[in-house]
Amino acid sequence: SLPFPVYTRQEVARHHNKASRVWVTYGSDVFDVTDFVEQHPGGKSKILLAAGGALEPFWALYAMHNQEHVLELLRGYKVGELSPEEPPQMNPEDPYAHDPPRHPALRVNSLKPFNAEPPPELMAESYLTPNELFFKRNHLPVPSVDPATYSLSVQGAYGQAFSLSLEELKKNFPKHEVTAAMQCAGNRREEMNAIQNTNRLGWGVGAISNARWGGARLRDVLLCAGYKPSDEGHVWFDGLDQDQSGTVYGASIPMKKAMNPEGEVLLAYEMNGEALPQDHGFPLRVIVPGVVGARNVKWLASVSVHPEESPSHWQQRDYKGFSPSVTWETVDFSKAPAIQEMPVQSAITEPSPEACVTPGELTVKGYAWSGGGRKVIRVDVSLDGGQSWHEAQLLPGEEQLPSRVWAWQLWELNVRVP
Ligand code: HEM
Ligand code: MTE
């Protein structure tokens, strides 16, 4: 038999939809699966996520593909082989050259700094978002931190600062776990931009994800540093990520939230049972359940307590809400408080806004969440622009205590489309 033609990854990448045919790779083999797309048991929208690229990162998430009958089926679609890889070009001048590798399913809103969200059709597939798919929101290059030499600086109540190694933090403070969704204030900004351009990074419905976090309670560390539960003020967090001028990412939360035993603020070193991934703040980050993503400082360098809020740009001149009549010319950031708790949110993840649906059975999927630990008690969906409403089915998740419902609520509705 003739040898298979040889293709580069770039050539494969051109075959990313039905019009150009749907190609995928597995190992060093190339497959044209166009004729299988409609028959895919997991649905057309999911198989198309891998179009033009490798199957491995997707099948690592959906491991039921690693069975002989699936591989056998795939072999029937082989059309070629990959040419040996050329090493990727790296520019040593690029401050982002050391950013970690990312999952190809992510929808990239900005490459440098890296801002990306999971595709909506995968969001409601899992209650805990896989780390690879968890949305990523960076303002600066991702720092590489050596966990062996890492230490956290903690400002003590009487002026003296002390440092904690990662080992000391793990050994000296009980591990606490909490399942919490995190949402960026910019979630769904594309929909806002469609009405009035905000001149800010667009996000679809994916600037929110849900994970189980593990770490030391910030409260325990602050008590150890000499603070009292009744102390007032603000806890400042500084990150290790910095720009060329040496400015680091920083933010703060009120002492009240930090010291509240029911606030469950963590200095987290685990995400979904694994060490924090590099993009999510390795080796240590803050998790502030129920509060806007911006305060959940990653690559945590220091914790300190002050009478006023953090002077950081991201606390003072960003992450604040204004009236639609305020423009970039007239905005006065001192007039609005920094966002902390987020309001209620609910979004449809499937079908997508442009999808064409046929009359008959339709499954609508989505998530709902509220900041401040407030529980979502019901989700209503309208198919006629708000004339009538269907009550969605709330999917099972972790049972959480009243006023500490930090996780999101996935929901589904099966309905007949006339
Ligand atoms: C299920 C094939 C790509 C997501 C399946 C099954 C097959 C299959 C045979 C049924 C497995 C079983 O039940 O034993 C393929 C082939 C692919 C492909 C040949 C590529 C050429 C993908 C991708 C994704 C995906 C890229 C995700 C992004 C799923 C899901 C199911 C599934 C979620 C489970 C459906 C259910 O249990 O209802 N696939 N798949 N597949 N696939 Fe794929
Ligand atoms: N912490 C540091 N050090 N640097 C950052 O750029 N981004 C913040 C917050 N913490 C950021 C940070 C913002 S705006 C959000 S929404 C969350 O991290 C995103 O966290 P994630 O990337 O783990 O989803």
Side-chain angles (χ1 to χ4, degrees), residues 27-163:
S28 57
D29 292 333
V30 179
F31 307 89
D32 179 342
V33 293
T34 316
D35 299 331
F36 177 69
V37 167
E38 294 291 342
Q39 305 162 37
H40 178 230
K44 177 176 150 183
S45 69
K46 293 202 183 62
I47 189 170
L48 286 177
L49 291 170
L55 285 172
E56 283 90 338
F58 294 92
W59 285 7
L61 295 173
Y62 296 98
M64 73 288 200
H65 292 93
N66 302 317
Q67 309 178 60
E68 189 42 38
H69 81 97
V70 181
L71 297 173
E72 176 68 38
L73 183 152
L74 185 62
R75 279 195 285 274
Y77 295 102
K78 181 166 170 179
V79 291
E81 284 170 5
L82 277 175
S83 61
E85 304 239 13
E86 298 123 58
Q89 301 288 322
M90 229 171 51
N91 173 7
E93 306 280 284
D94 181 356
Y96 292 93
H98 301 287
D99 269 23
R102 276 98 183 202
H103 198 281
L106 290 170
R107 295 209 173 160
V108 179
N109 299 320
S110 140
L111 199 55
K112 299 173 184 183
F114 193 73
N115 287 283
E117 57 188 296
E121 49 275 59
L122 294 186
M123 288 182 77
E125 292 297 307
S126 37
Y127 176 67
L128 295 178
T129 312
N131 292 353
E132 296 85 344
L133 294 182
F134 200 100
F135 86 92
K136 299 171 206 315
R137 204 289 179 244
N138 300 334
H139 290 85
L140 297 160
V142 174
S144 313
V145 184
D146 177 356
T149 55
Y150 168 83
S151 73
L152 172 71
S153 157
V154 182
Q155 184 69 45
Y158 310 106
Q160 81 294 7
F162 61 97
S163 65

Side-chain angles (χ1 to χ4, degrees), residues 109-110 113 115 137-138 186 189-190 193 198-203:
N109 299 320
S110 140
N115 287 283
R137 204 289 179 244
N138 300 334
R189 197 183 278 122
E190 265 167 22
N193 284 341
T198 61
N199 286 313
R200 274 296 185 270
L201 190 63
W203 289 93

